[in-house]
Amino acid sequence: MKMSQMYSPTLKETPANAEVVSHKLMLRAGLMRKLSSGIYSHLPLGYKVIQKIEDIIREEMNKAGAQEVLLPALQPAQLWKESNRWADYGPELMRLKDRHERDFCLGPTHEEVITDLIKDEVRSYKDLPFNLYQIQTKFRDEIRPRFGVLRSREFIMKDAYSFNADKDSLNESYQNMYDAYAKIFTRCGLEFRTVVADNGPIGGTDSHEFMVLADSGEDTVVFCNECDYSANLELAESDIEFTTEDTKFKELEKIETKDAATIEDISNFLNCSAKKLIKSLIYQTQDGYVLALIRGDYQLNEVKLRNLLGVANLEMAPAEELFNDTGIVTGYAGAIDIPDEVTVIADPSAMSVVNGVTGANEVNYHYINVNPDRDFNVDEIADIREIKEGEPCIDCNGELTMTRGIEVGQVFKLGTKYSDSMEASYIDNNGKSKSMFMGCYGIGVTRTVAAAIEQNHDDYGIIWPKSIAPYSVHIIELGDSKEIKSVSEELYTDLKQSGLEVLCDNRNERAGVKFNDADLIGCPIQVILGKNSLEDDNIEIKLRQTNEKLKIDVSNPVPKIKELLAKQN
Ligand code: ATP
Ligand code: MG
């Protein structure tokens, strides 16, 4: 591609409102432009990278035996009502009405559509298993679209769905997809980890996420220094033991605590450590109010609590409603004398507190010298806390470490969640009707582009892994002498004929502008054609990944360039 003909508007200045590196660089290098919040147009260079990733995904999915389809993005609400997700998915679902006032949505994922597609035509165990995938635009009305295409409202996803006769067959399909994903992200040149993950609104039982390691990642990846335990912080457990201090229980006392309501206010007011406080958080669920207790120096893990309660949504109880229903005052909640209709769940950390402090369910009052076993009842003791770095591993007692990651893919065992609710059954080899087992498998294609940049860049621009670089070689013509033009033209043709993708900067621009743009765009090999080097029968090469410069003979450069390219990541 000649840059004089390419639509690739680069920017010198860092665009306002772009917080993370990938977002800045994708705008600056002319990969994409914003249309509206969380909605982007992909320009030629950016779309080329997307297509490279899609090609890798297609190859590996086909090799793994999956078959490509294309399903509608516009989906009737009826299907989502069958699976109960019209209610459960919440405001992230982009809903709309047609001219007849019928409800539709723009697909955030396709479990309903695909189950509906196959359920009447797959009849027998002989038709199973199979796996269908598509690469398609998805829509999610994210509460906080941000970081460019890392969290956008419209994005490209590869989603695959396996249909299996039983659990064993599902396990095989799941492993097959897991392995394919590892190959895909390895081929994309990314450093990643797989972690045990929460199923979220997709549902099902087991799940793994593929995390590209990067400081800007929104997820926290927990892993053990000694064994292969790794989990998303949302699910991570540790083997920490909470022992109770061996002190005499003091007499329970209700005291006035003025305006102190937060953990910090209270520990300042009473001059005690957060470890003495029993944090009491009240949630509202479809099954009523829940009081969650946790020691003051820990954070509650809402995913663990949601899974424990088996509810789709968990929200902090609205203060006024809570007070009217139960008499409990937000900010002063506590387990002592709590009305029976509130379910109390305590983390072991909270149960270990001795002579501690809790709210008294009354404005400006707390109890001190609280001892859980003596002073209140709980419905269940369970791990509902966010673990901390350095705690012992649940599997081997080694030390747990944390790092940041970007979730680029996730695989789920759905079991019979959708086939039960949508009645997708088959006749087994004993003539009995059974629900199909399903798995689903997603990769965020556009998010992967951004994740690759988060992991591979420097102060000057993007440093593409060669497998997903828009072009392998970037020729920079300096000056407009006939000699340079003709060497450039010949090299451009020869490199292309040898099968390489080549970008040639033949624009009428200053050398500095061309060098900056080449570093910004980030192709692995830069070939610099200037008068000085040609006089010595050399052409200059710059390797973008190491910024190393070298000279090669002008007489037969193609094999040497290919050799250098082969050595790049
Ligand atoms: P997240 O937890 O980041 O919101 P998710 O777990 O809801 O993502 P999945 O339902 O697992 O997402 O979707 C499959 C893949 O689609 C994700 O692994 C991710 O790569 C991508 N993806 C999901 N939401 C977005 C988004 N808003 N913007 C870009 N990519 C996304
Ligand atoms: Mg996910």
Side-chain angles (χ1 to χ4, degrees), residues 389-439:
E389 186 147 30
E391 288 184 7
C393 171
I394 186 88
D395 285 348
C396 78
N397 242 49
E399 193 180 315
L400 293 175
T401 309
M402 294 187 189
T403 183
R404 306 293 289 178
I406 300 168
E407 178 203 323
V408 285
Q410 187 166 8
V411 290
F412 303 80
K413 287 183 194 168
L414 298 173
T416 57
K417 171 175 164 147
Y418 295 90
S419 40
D420 283 342
S421 58
M422 298 183 70
E423 296 175 4
S425 56
Y426 71 98
I427 306 292
D428 76 2
N429 54 0
N430 296 317
K432 264 201 185 145
S433 176
K434 286 204 169 138
S435 287
M436 291 178 212
F437 278 74
M438 288 173 62

Side-chain angles (χ1 to χ4, degrees), residues 278 350-356 370-378:
I278 301 176
M351 296 306 288
S352 73
V353 173
V354 177
N355 297 328
V370 178
N371 291 291
D373 281 333
R374 182 193 68 184
D375 298 328
F376 56 82
N377 295 320
V378 301

Side-chain angles (χ1 to χ4, degrees), residues 187-211:
R187 280 184 62 186
C188 289
L190 300 173
E191 198 196 333
F192 66 95
R193 260 179 190 275
T194 51
V195 300
V196 174
D198 179 51
N199 289 57
I202 306 281
T205 48
D206 295 312
S207 182
H208 286 88
E209 286 164 337
F210 289 73
M211 296 283 189

Side-chain angles (χ1 to χ4, degrees), residues 29 33 41 54 133 254 256 258 336 416 429 437 448 491:
R33 286 293 179 262
S41 304
E54 289 181 352
Y133 78 97
K254 194 190 225 178
E256 195 178 349
K258 302 230 174 76
I336 298 174
T416 57
N429 54 0
F437 278 74
T448 301
L491 183 62

Side-chain angles (χ1 to χ4, degrees), residues 140 142 149-152 155 157 407-410 444 447:
R140 294 185 183 181
E142 296 278 351
V149 287
L150 280 174
R151 185 166 298 285
S152 50
F155 57 96
M157 194 204 285
E407 178 203 323
V408 285
Q410 187 166 8
R447 186 184 279 184

